[in-house]
Structure formats: structure tokens, C-alpha cells
Amino acid sequence: MAETTNGRGIAVVTGGSAGLGRAVSRELARRGWDVAVLARGQDGIDATVAEVQRIGRRSLGVSVDVADSAGVEVAAQRVEDELGPISLWVNNAMAGTISEFLDTSVADFERATAVTYLGCVNGTRAALGRMVARDRGHIIQIGSALAHRGIPLQAAYCGAKHAIHGFTDAVVSELTHDKSKVAVSIVDMPALNTTQFGWVKSEFPEHPQPVPPIFQPEVGARAVADVADTPRRRTWVGISTVETILGARFAGRFLDWYLAKAAYQGQLAPDKPRSTVAPNLYEPVPGDAGAHGVFDDKARTDSVQTWAIRHRRALAVAGSAVIGAAAAAGTALVRGRS
């Protein structure tokens, strides 16, 4: 077994060859991780492995469908045999459709659920089977604002992301009961400018788009790497995610009305040429798609909210200093008046 040297450890990223997973693979490599890329399309896998190696870290690409539990187990064992013990596992792979529920075939719905939800389950099982025995390791589930508030045209995806939360809560409770030192985190993402919207299955004539505001995938990748640096149970990325989650808690009926009114057209981009790429729901798309979709002109490159999370310790210290100074000034004022 090959041990990594002068690095953080071995990280596995599912769906790591494109979109958010591609950005996460690069960001983890920049922070010193050796990265194993699990995905289906060999072209994207090879390109991601080459990028990680150019950064100076070791990498391994494994072609696997995360909906295949046995395949994921074989892939995990290959990673450990060729790179070393897995320290970090990021469950990112997803698939979906853009269509109303009753217009979505049973096969398409089940396939989207198998990849997005059961892919996360299979990855968690493979990771925990190794980490629990060593009593160390960290699993990061890529969640979504849509896990907390479903939107029209994405019933399968929303349901799968919601299921990931319930599944993860159950696993964390079991690990807590067993006093395990393995950490599990969920990072809920906003709308991201990824390749998924170029190859999602859709019957609409317009190009699908994530519901604005849209962020570049690097914003999400930095948040994932920050959580890998300092594990925390839940992280909400982007102010739009915060607003969606809090809105679902306190203004659910209003969101029912608003999303019914705005979310249909909000997921379609008439100003973009319709993608001619075949959907990737069942088969990978040939070629290297990279990390970005077609919305670079609309996507934000940073988020004040995620910056604050990244610098929360410094902000906490500064806040304490301000409060302390205010308290001291108040005390001096009272004494002066006395």
C-alpha cells in the first residue's frame, strides 16, 4: 500500500470529473490532498487526474457508476490499494431531469434517485466501512438549498437531496452512539454554473438554467475545502441558500405561491442556445466538459456569506474585541457620571 507524503491525505470525490466535483478536486489538490476521482466518463476523469497532478498531488481516476453499490466498493478498495487509506470522502455525484413530476417517466425518476441519493448512500457505506475501523476520517455530503425547499420541475432531485439529509442524520446519530471519531458534514449548495444544465434531460425548447442568483462552482468548492479543513456539521453556501432555508421554515405558504409563479421561467434561459448534447442520465457525455456551464456572464465569483464562514474565527475574535471595548467604554462613562 502506498502512503502519501507531505500532504493532507487521500480524498475521494464522486462525480469529480465535471461541474462542482471538478472544482472540488482542484481545490482539494491545491490544499495538499491527493485526490481520487470517481465518475463515469473516462475523458473527464483523465483530464481531472491530469489537473491534479499538475498541481503537484497524486491522483487516481476510476470509472464507476455510483448507483452500483458493488462497483463503488471495488473502486474504494482500488483507491486504498493504489494511493493509501482514505481520509476524506466527498459524495457529490448527481443526475436529474427538468420536467413536471407527471411528465417524468418512472425509469427517469428512479434513475435520478439512484444516482443522487443511493449514490450518496453507497459512497457513505464504502467510506464508513474503512473509516470506522480506523476511528478516523471525514465524509462530506453535497447537499442543496433544494433539500429544504422543493421547487417545480425538479421533484426527483429535490426528493433525493431531502433524503440525503434524513439518511445523514441517522448515520450521525449512530456514530455518536458508538463514540466514533469519524466526522460527517453536509454542505448545502446554492444554484451553481455547472455543466449539469448542458446535459440534464429536458423536453423544454429553452436551455435549462439554475434558479438565479447563480454562483461559480469554485464558490462551492472553496466551502467544501473549508469544511474539510475544519469539520462542521452543516454549512449553508451563499446568502440565497440561507434565505431559502429560513424562508421554508418561516414562510412556507408564501414560497408555495412564489415558486409556482416564478420558478418555471426561472429555470429556463431563452437567451442561451439550446444544448445539443445528449442527456447524461443513463450514459456519460463524451469529452471533457470542465467545471463551468454556459452562465459565466451571470455567475458570481464569490459570496460575502461564505467569506464570513471561512473567516469566522477572526470575525468572532474581532466581535469579542468590539463588545469588550464597548463594555469598557460604557463602564468608564458610568463611573465618570458617578
Side-chain angles (χ1 to χ4, degrees):
M1 178 183 294
E3 294 285 348
T4 186
T5 58
N6 300 320
R8 302 286 301 280
I10 311 301
V12 173
V13 182
T14 71
S17 65
L20 174 61
R22 180 71 163 266
V24 169
S25 297
R26 289 194 297 240
E27 185 65 26
L28 290 176
R30 292 189 186 103
R31 300 198 191 192
W33 293 89
D34 294 333
V35 181
V37 180
L38 272 56
R40 292 178 301 164
Q42 195 63 51
D43 294 336
I45 291 172
D46 292 343
T48 309
V49 167
E51 283 187 345
V52 171
Q53 290 174 343
R54 283 196 295 271
I55 292 170
R57 302 309 310 171
R58 295 186 304 153
S59 187
L60 172 68
V62 183
S63 179
V64 63
D65 185 340
V66 296
D68 175 10
S69 59
V72 174
E73 176 61 29
V74 170
Q77 191 56 52
R78 182 180 167 191
V79 172
E80 296 225 327
D81 290 343
E82 298 189 29
L83 291 182
I86 298 167
S87 301
L88 174 67
W89 187 292
V90 181
N91 281 310
N92 165 75
M94 59 80 62
T97 64
I98 302 292
S99 59
E100 287 194 337
F101 171 60
L102 290 180
D103 293 333
T104 307
S105 71
V106 172
D108 287 355
F109 197 98
E110 290 180 350
R111 173 62 181 167
T113 302
V115 174
T116 309
Y117 172 53
L118 293 181
C120 176
V121 172
N122 295 335
T124 302
R125 181 183 289 109
L128 281 182
R130 291 159 174 80
M131 294 176 179
V132 167
R134 297 190 283 258
D135 201 25
R136 65 180 185 274
H138 186 191
I139 297 171
I140 298 178
Q141 321 285 38
I142 300 302
S144 171
L146 304 187
H148 303 265
R149 170 67 236 196
I151 62 173
L153 306 182
Q154 293 201 54
Y157 178 80
C158 295
K161 287 298 186 181
H162 187 85
I164 287 170
H165 272 259
F167 161 73
T168 301
D169 288 343
V171 169
V172 168
S173 295
E174 293 171 3
L175 292 172
T176 302
H177 172 269
D178 296 337
K179 297 181 173 57
S180 173
K181 295 180 182 177
V182 177
V184 183
S185 304
I186 299 179
V187 181
D188 285 319
M189 293 294 169
L192 297 174
N193 174 36
T194 70
T195 55
Q196 179 61 24
F197 294 90
W199 58 39
V200 66
K201 188 170 183 179
S202 170
E203 301 301 325
F204 290 94
E206 299 93 344
H207 193 296
Q209 74 169 4
V211 179
I214 304 170
F215 294 86
Q216 294 288 26
E218 287 78 12
V219 174
R222 289 193 294 269
V224 171
D226 289 343
V227 172
D229 287 343
T230 306
R232 59 200 308 261
R233 182 71 177 82
R234 298 182 188 276
T235 300
W236 300 344
V237 180
I239 191 62
S240 56
T241 299
V242 175
E243 291 171 348
T244 297
I245 294 172
L246 295 181
R249 292 181 181 180
F250 301 110
R253 293 300 297 272
F254 169 77
L255 282 179
D256 289 340
W257 171 83
Y258 176 77
L259 291 170
K261 180 179 177 64
Y264 275 71
Q265 289 304 313
Q267 294 183 74
L268 302 172
D271 60 323
K272 300 292 182 182
R274 182 69 169 88
S275 173
T276 58
V277 175
N280 76 331
L281 189 58
Y282 295 95
E283 299 294 335
V285 174
D288 173 29
H292 288 203
V294 299
F295 300 101
D296 283 337
D297 58 329
K298 301 180 181 180
R300 304 178 184 184
T301 59
D302 210 341
S303 162
V304 173
Q305 183 262 350
T306 52
W307 179 91
I309 291 174
R310 191 176 310 124
H311 298 88
R312 58 187 179 275
R313 291 184 178 176
L315 290 173
V317 171
S320 297
V322 170
I323 293 171
T331 301
L333 179 62
V334 170
R335 288 176 176 172
R337 288 178 176 176
S338 298

